[in-house]
Amino acid sequence: MKRQLRIVTGLIAMLSILVGLTVVAYAAEKHPNQVKSNDIGLDEEGNPVDLDLWEYSFEASPQLLSLEDAEDESDEKIANVRYVGPIIDGRILGNAPATIQSSATNYDSAFQNMTSLIYPPEIPEGVISMNHTFNGCSNLVAAPEIPSTVTSMNFTIQ
């Protein structure tokens, strides 16, 4: 009986390890642009944002690229974000990130074609581009508030 219990316990432990590896592999496949150990997302009040709900990538800012001797890009990257989490009761989960690492963010196409989105999330100050952000969100009941920092919003709502 004790031997059978040890075998069952060992099988359960092996199964747990396999399930854990499968979950990690799925998360890495689902979010290939993310490096979880280094990326920190914060909302406008400085509260953490669950980055599993967001797909994002980084690029050097145009200002950095225009500087001749700019080699240190550590604080001069722009994060492009898109919400990939569920929409529950017409809302996204949590808040939108104001920063990822130390970056300003672009919300181009962040919620595009999400017809189940009813209540637009708050877009944080510091966002500079909102091209196509709510394009195709045909069930919004209110217009989103546009931050004063936005300089580009082609087809934001259409």
Side-chain angles (χ1 to χ4, degrees), residues 83-106:
Y83 184 74
V84 294
I87 296 174
I88 299 176
D89 295 330
R91 301 179 193 278
I92 68 167
L93 294 181
N95 293 325
T99 61
I100 298 176
Q101 294 179 355
S102 60
S103 308
T105 54
N106 284 342

Side-chain angles (χ1 to χ4, degrees), residues 4-66:
Q4 289 174 334
L5 182 60
R6 276 186 280 169
I7 291 172
V8 169
T9 304
L11 288 173
I12 291 172
M14 286 176 38
L15 184 61
S16 296
I17 290 169
L18 288 174
V19 168
L21 290 174
T22 303
V23 169
V24 169
Y26 173 74
E29 179 182 310
K30 185 177 175 190
H31 303 288
N33 295 333
Q34 298 184 21
V35 180
K36 291 296 185 192
S37 60
N38 297 328
D39 294 351
I40 298 170
L42 300 174
D43 67 13
E44 205 160 13
E45 281 99 40
N47 299 314
V49 171
D50 182 357
L51 293 181
D52 286 338
L53 303 173
W54 298 87
E55 191 175 81
Y56 57 94
S57 61
F58 297 98
E59 63 185 64
S61 72
Q63 294 82 5
L64 178 70
L65 294 175
S66 67

Side-chain angles (χ1 to χ4, degrees), residues 66-88:
S66 67
L67 299 175
E68 289 182 23
D69 296 323
E71 293 183 17
D72 180 19
E73 300 179 7
S74 60
D75 292 331
E76 295 294 335
K77 291 183 180 178
I78 295 173
N80 302 297
V81 300
R82 177 166 171 75
Y83 184 74
V84 294
I87 296 174
I88 299 176

